[in-house]
Amino acid sequence: QTTPGAARHATRRAGAGSASCAAEGGKDAALSADAASRRDAVQRTAAAAAAATVAGGVPQPSEARSTRGPKAWEKIELGTEELIYDMVFDDADPKHGWIVGSRGTFYETFDAGKKWSPRSFAGLDPEEEITYRFQSATLKNGEGWVIGKPPILLHTTDAGRSFERIPLSSKLPGEPLLITSLGQGKAEMTTSSGAVYKTDNAGRNWKAQVKETIDATLNRVSSSGVQGASYFTGNVVSVTRDSTGAYLAVSSRGNFYLTWQPGEEYWAPHNRGTSRRIQNMGFVKDSADKGLWMAVHV
């Protein structure tokens, strides 16, 4: 098993900047017909989304109204000017949620977001806490995880009343970018370099799900005709996970995107289908099978 833990992280491959150990028993390098079909569908829907965006334009704020009427949205004042990076609610208790952001920002609600109260993490000194940008949070059945930059990982099993700090190795490829709680001590974490790790024992051990980082894959396969991917040395700026465990990532320059399915060894790069820079992407109805949406720079 590989692990992001300080004393248990496996040595990265020379020049690749990623964990060298694959899943137990090895993997078949060839994609299954089903996985290949899903990948083709993802690329076709993203290209169609980009084409539609270019053809139809981007709606101005005055046009982007809710179809449910002017009272569908209500402005909630948090009393902070810090940037907000994530907001989550518990599946088991939809009224309970968190907001995390820059400079140690952490808010909690127990009334579905009508009122938010500032929180701090026990075990973190106030002067230390303010140095973190909490990037992603997840909350499922009272079990939650929070990750941030500089690399930090916090875990709770009592709905946030207390948190345990999980050690992360200084050799972790990239910085933690997205964390997803899978329940009962299980979680999946991705980094800005495209590393994907999974734990089944509350973070004590982590297993690498991909063989190498995104830049190593792109440079090794000579980009496979993907524009802007040659000699790629950047990171991904956004990562999204669907309900089946499929991932979608946008390159830091916004000139191409990548996909990954459970069981695959490497990320697959794709052309963006438009000359405009990608701002963000996501899954339609939380499923890669239903397609993708793409927002581009105007």
Side-chain angles (χ1 to χ4, degrees), residues 21 41 45 66 77 79 86 99 107 112 130 155 172 177 183 201 205 213 219 235 241 249 257 266 286:
C21 182
T45 54
S66 169
E77 295 289 351
D86 203 3
I99 281 177
Y107 283 82
I130 201 172
H155 178 227
L172 183 73
L177 195 60
N201 56 10
N205 301 99
T213 54
N219 294 324
N235 296 318
R241 183 186 190 275
Y257 69 97
Y266 311 103
D286 197 27

Side-chain angles (χ1 to χ4, degrees), residues 95-117:
K95 292 186 177 181
H96 181 211
W98 298 336
I99 281 177
V100 295
S102 62
R103 292 175 57 83
T105 297
F106 179 31
Y107 283 82
E108 188 171 31
T109 181
F110 293 98
D111 58 7
K114 296 178 182 178
K115 181 180 178 181
W116 294 86
S117 302

Side-chain angles (χ1 to χ4, degrees), residues 105-278:
T105 297
F106 179 31
Y107 283 82
E108 188 171 31
T109 181
F110 293 98
D111 58 7
K114 296 178 182 178
K115 181 180 178 181
W116 294 86
S117 302
R119 282 280 313 272
S120 60
F121 292 102
L124 288 181
D125 183 271
E127 294 184 0
E128 177 189 13
E129 187 171 0
I130 201 172
T131 65
Y132 289 105
R133 183 177 84 184
F134 295 122
Q135 184 81 19
S136 174
T138 181
L139 186 57
K140 184 180 179 68
N141 298 326
E143 182 174 25
W145 306 76
V146 177
I147 58 174
K149 304 176 183 179
I152 186 173
L153 174 61
L154 302 168
H155 178 227
T156 178
T157 57
D158 56 12
R161 288 186 290 274
S162 63
F163 282 87
E164 176 189 6
R165 185 169 180 172
I166 308 296
L168 289 174
S169 172
S170 60
K171 295 181 179 180
L172 183 73
E175 297 178 313
L177 195 60
L178 178 69
I179 186 80
T180 303
S181 177
L182 304 178
Q184 296 294 319
K186 300 178 181 179
E188 209 163 69
M189 177 176 65
T190 61
T191 75
S192 57
S193 293
V196 181
Y197 291 100
K198 191 172 184 178
T199 181
D200 294 322
N201 56 10
R204 290 191 294 274
N205 301 99
W206 296 80
K207 182 183 292 184
Q209 304 299 298
V210 294
K211 276 193 170 183
E212 59 191 11
T213 54
I214 288 173
D215 56 350
T217 296
L218 292 172
N219 294 324
R220 178 176 51 78
V221 300
S222 300
S223 308
S224 298
V226 176
Q227 295 180 358
S230 298
Y231 305 107
F232 179 73
T233 57
N235 296 318
V236 293
V237 292
S238 70
V239 176
T240 304
R241 183 186 190 275
D242 80 351
S243 56
T244 68
Y247 281 92
L248 174 65
V250 177
S251 72
S252 56
R253 294 192 291 267
N255 49 357
F256 64 95
Y257 69 97
L258 306 102
T259 57
W260 179 80
Q261 302 275 358
E264 296 178 353
E265 294 185 328
Y266 311 103
W267 286 83
H270 307 278
N271 283 310
R272 55 189 164 178
T274 173
S275 60
R276 298 182 180 183
R277 182 166 58 90
I278 304 171

